[in-house]
Amino acid sequence: GLWCAPFDFSEKSETFRNHPEWFIKDANYINSHKMMIDFGTEGARKYLYDLFYKISHEWGFRYVKIDFVASLLALNGYGRKGYNNLKNLKEAFQIIRSAVTEDTYILACSAPLIPLAGLADGLRTGYDIFERWESLKTVARQTAKHYFMYEYINIDPDCLLLRTKDKQEEDCFRLCTRTEEVRTFAAYMQAAGGTLMISDKIALLNAEDDKLYKSLFPLNKKPAVPVDLFEREIPSVYYFGKRNGVEKYTVINWTDKTEKFIIKRNTESFVKCGDTVSDRKVKNLTVKLKAHTARTVLFSESKAF
């Protein structure tokens, strides 16, 4: 894949020096040292098309991440009458979409959601993933609440990291430091659905890590529904639906202390919580979790899970 920021130009860039007529004329934006391009101009449109045609057709990239979108759309200063930042955004992505191959996956990062539905394949709606537990909480807070948009766009919760300090090379500087939080991290990524970006060097991982990765496949393309969406700042109970007679939930404790979570259902079923299978059918289930941990819970009419 290739990372790029086609909306971001320096005043020292060759593009700006050679084609100042492609950029907005608002002096306030020029003084900010952010040269914001006006894709309402013919030359800028051809430039963008040629660039992404080269990236996809000639260089062969099939995944392109387009970053820093919304923050680099000028509010005004465009040359075309009635043209604005929203039209500039849609024009640019229509050009990009037409320039790349059909199987090129376009991810728009830090971009408005609705205007790009159908133009971008995936949309980053959350914070970057770092090695800190707080970054995962922030990503979950921001992405879980967009679960209902999956029919139109893939919500991208950033990348999954399983490595610990003993499974890194010199150039792997972001790592997870707590084993249990790594499992929680993977559990949320599965619940989030949509895209699953892997940021580990697979050859450096051990058999346990491989097992955890394999548990995420086949990919969950439909986000799990956060059933306690309006009860908590970050949803903790996620419902995956029913498959082959088995209903699946994932429960995540985002807090810093042991908590109890209730899964409420309308029918009685046998339950498998972690590795334990119940001896009798139950309707509602209380799950007690330590801080920063997750648990998969299955419900079935039979005890054969």
Side-chain angles (χ1 to χ4, degrees), residues 23-39:
F23 293 79
I24 63 164
K25 305 302 188 291
D26 191 307
N28 291 329
Y29 289 103
I30 297 297
N31 290 338
S32 72
H33 303 289
K34 291 291 185 183
M35 307 300 104
M36 298 185 176
I37 201 162
D38 180 355
F39 290 110

Side-chain angles (χ1 to χ4, degrees), residues 2 24 33 92 103 135 145 157 191 204 211 218 257 303 305:
L2 183 69
I24 63 164
H33 303 289
D103 61 340
S135 74
K145 296 170 185 178
L204 300 180
K211 183 179 178 181
K257 61 182 181 178
K303 295 183 72 172
F305 283 91

Side-chain angles (χ1 to χ4, degrees), residues 14 16 19-20 28 57 61 66 73-74 76 100 135 140 148 207-208 222 245 256 261:
E14 182 179 314
F16 179 72
H19 301 282
N28 291 329
H57 290 269
F61 287 104
I66 301 172
L73 292 171
N76 49 43
V100 301
S135 74
F148 61 91
E208 191 64 27
K222 179 181 177 181
D256 297 327
F261 305 88

Side-chain angles (χ1 to χ4, degrees), residues 145-158:
K145 296 170 185 178
H146 292 110
Y147 77 94
F148 61 91
M149 302 182 73
Y150 78 94
E151 292 185 64
Y152 309 100
I153 52 176
N154 284 324
I155 299 299
D156 173 36
D158 204 7

